[in-house]
Amino acid sequence: MGFFQKLLIPSVALVLAVCFYSRKEDFKPEMLKGKYVIVTGASTGIGEQMAYHLARMGSHILITARTEAKLQKVVSRCLELGAASARYVNGSMEDIIFAQLVVKKAEELWGNLDMLILNHVGSSYFKFFDSDVGHVQKLLNINFLSYVSMTVAALPMLKKSGGSIVVVSSMAGKVGFPFTVPYSATKFALDGFFSSLRQEFVMQNTNVSITLCILGLIDTESAMKAISGVFTSPAAPKEECALEIIKGGALRQREVYYEYTSTKIPLLIREWAPDLLDYLIRRSYNMEKLKED
Ligand SMILES: NC(=O)c1ccc[n+]([C@@H]2O[C@H](COP(=O)([O-])OP(=O)(O)OC[C@H]3O[C@@H](n4cnc5c(N)ncnc54)[C@H](OP(=O)(O)O)[C@@H]3O)[C@@H](O)[C@H]2O)c1
Ligand SMILES: *[C@@H]1O[C@H](CO)[C@@H](O)[C@H](O)[C@H]1NC(C)=O
Ligand SMILES: *[C@@H]1O[C@H](CO)[C@@H](O)[C@H](O)[C@H]1NC(C)=O
């Protein structure tokens, strides 16, 4: 016990001291006032909530998704909430040309870009992998290639502004989850691409931050419908989730974990006991419910 205490107390003190002195600056909503921000997949869900937060902070916002009617409603709400300006472009991210066009639109409107928030996802299934390779390819186009292509198109503006790229990913982009094989593959791909690119940005003195967001289950309509009783973990609120993503981007953090304990702790377990984590994940599915559907 004596030895343990001798070791433990100084260690804890050291960790606390390091945490205290390396504490980064605090987030202030003014950080986004008058900034130029693109949010993809903003017709509903977390993207829609990000648009509302940015509006309250007084940003210029360009949103995109496929459904024009929903985008129009989100734009009017953003203007009511105090956005410096709010516009939309509708189209599908399956089309790489459209992905580039969204960035071009920002260039025409503003000639400037401070933050690129990549958030959209194509719809997929929630069941055992069905061997449909075509679907994997389509989902890679929507969830991965369009992210790459928007990043490439936006880089000149982001370099000029010392801007930020925010990539919305998932726990399913860090560990294997059943029933979302194609989705999970696209999210792992984002980690590979953007974590490698971040390294190169540092080596090349490119002052553009990359924030990868690892989200647990969030209470958006589409997620709640997909898991409908099969996955039994509680869902976190989309409004708070949206704010945490924006904060992480503004503070130029490398990664955001939301909710922190339900994402960070399982990932720490994975480092030391991957089979245990896999087992715990499998146990959180209600297989009876899956068979009913
Ligand atoms: N909700 C969760 O539990 C959860 C968990 C982990 C990670 N995430 C991540 O968080 C992000 C947002 O999730 P969410 O739950 O808010 O999703 P969501 O509610 O399903 O919204 C998806 C958005 O993407 C757009 N979209 C879909 N297909 C598209 C296409 N082909 N081209 C362009 N836009 C398209 C949708 O609009 P249209 O249909 O109008 O095109 C919508 O605006 C995603 O990256 C997701 O992977 C979510
Ligand atoms: C945008 O939406 C309108 C109305 O639904 C549609 O006619 C148009 O083709 C869409 N634009 C793109 C690029 O998909
Ligand atoms: C990088 O950009 C940020 C935000 O625009 C700025 O605060 C910082 O001073 C820049 N750093 C360098 C080294 O230019």
Side-chain angles (χ1 to χ4, degrees):
M1 190 64 196
F3 174 72
F4 187 64
Q5 275 180 343
K6 258 184 224 158
L7 200 69
L8 186 71
I9 293 168
S11 313
V12 170
L14 185 70
V15 167
L16 289 178
V18 167
C19 287
F20 184 79
Y21 285 107
S22 65
R23 224 185 61 171
K24 301 238 171 73
E25 78 185 302
D26 288 328
F27 175 78
K28 293 179 209 72
E30 302 83 68
M31 286 173 168
L32 284 142
K33 197 175 165 68
K35 298 287 180 186
Y36 299 97
V37 186
I38 294 177
V39 187
T40 72
S43 64
T44 184
I46 300 165
E48 177 186 2
Q49 297 306 319
M50 286 196 275
Y52 298 154
H53 283 301
L54 290 164
R56 286 184 204 103
M57 293 168 193
S59 307
H60 294 273
I61 309 163
L62 176 62
I63 60 171
T64 180
R66 288 168 307 175
T67 320
E68 187 171 29
K70 286 190 192 171
L71 290 171
Q72 281 168 342
K73 280 190 191 144
V74 176
V75 160
S76 347
R77 181 98 187 98
C78 284
L79 292 172
E80 283 166 24
L81 290 172
S85 71
R87 301 287 292 266
Y88 73 86
V89 220
N90 66 298
S92 176
M93 289 290 177
E94 200 184 337
D95 175 7
I96 299 305
I97 305 292
F98 174 75
Q100 293 163 352
L101 193 132
V102 175
V103 177
K104 251 188 221 137
K105 181 84 185 175
E107 205 163 6
E108 278 166 29
L109 283 171
W110 308 324
N112 210 337
L113 184 66
D114 295 295
M115 192 180 280
L116 174 64
I117 305 183
L118 300 166
N119 164 78
H120 64 275
V121 274
S123 56
S124 190
Y125 53 77
F126 192 77
K127 59 175 187 190
F128 286 110
F129 179 52
D130 66 2
S131 304
D132 183 350
V133 179
H135 177 69
V136 178
Q137 178 149 29
K138 179 179 167 177
L139 215 58
L140 270 171
N141 283 338
I142 302 170
N143 295 4
F144 175 66
L145 265 184
S146 69
Y147 281 45
V148 171
S149 125
M150 288 188 76
T151 296
V152 170
L155 255 186
M157 285 192 288
L158 291 173
K159 281 181 181 168
K160 218 171 51 186
S161 64
S164 308
I165 301 168
V166 178
V167 178
V168 181
S169 186
S170 165
M171 275 295 275
K174 288 275 187 191
V175 272
F177 277 79
F179 311 132
T180 54
V181 168
Y183 170 82
S184 198
T186 66
K187 293 298 195 185
F188 267 79
L190 290 173
D191 195 350
F193 181 83
F194 284 101
S195 299
S196 301
L197 196 64
R198 189 193 292 113
Q199 288 278 44
E200 296 192 357
F201 282 1
V202 174
M203 292 166 91
Q204 296 169 311
N205 291 318
T206 299
N207 191 17
V208 176
S209 64
I210 295 180
T211 302
L212 184 72
C213 306
I214 310 306
L215 308 183
L217 186 62
I218 310 299
D219 67 358
T220 62
E221 236 174 85
S222 66
M224 294 302 95
K225 218 175 103 193
I227 61 153
S228 63
V230 178
F231 189 64
T232 53
S233 295
K238 57 180 188 263
E239 297 81 2
E240 186 180 65
C241 176
L243 186 59
E244 290 307 308
I245 294 171
I246 293 169
K247 281 185 187 173
L251 296 175
R252 306 173 84 80
Q253 288 170 3
R254 64 178 283 132
E255 291 185 332
V256 167
Y257 289 86
Y258 181 83
E259 284 185 305
Y260 190 79
T261 47
S262 64
T263 51
K264 198 71 186 186
I265 290 174
L267 289 174
L268 290 175
I269 295 176
R270 184 195 54 170
E271 294 305 316
W272 296 96
D275 287 329
L276 172 64
L277 180 62
D278 281 359
Y279 167 75
L280 293 173
I281 288 174
R282 285 195 301 274
R283 269 198 28 170
S284 54
Y285 290 81
N286 182 349
M287 294 305 289
E288 295 307 313
K289 199 86 186 172
L290 188 74
K291 282 180 202 129
E292 283 167 24
D293 298 334

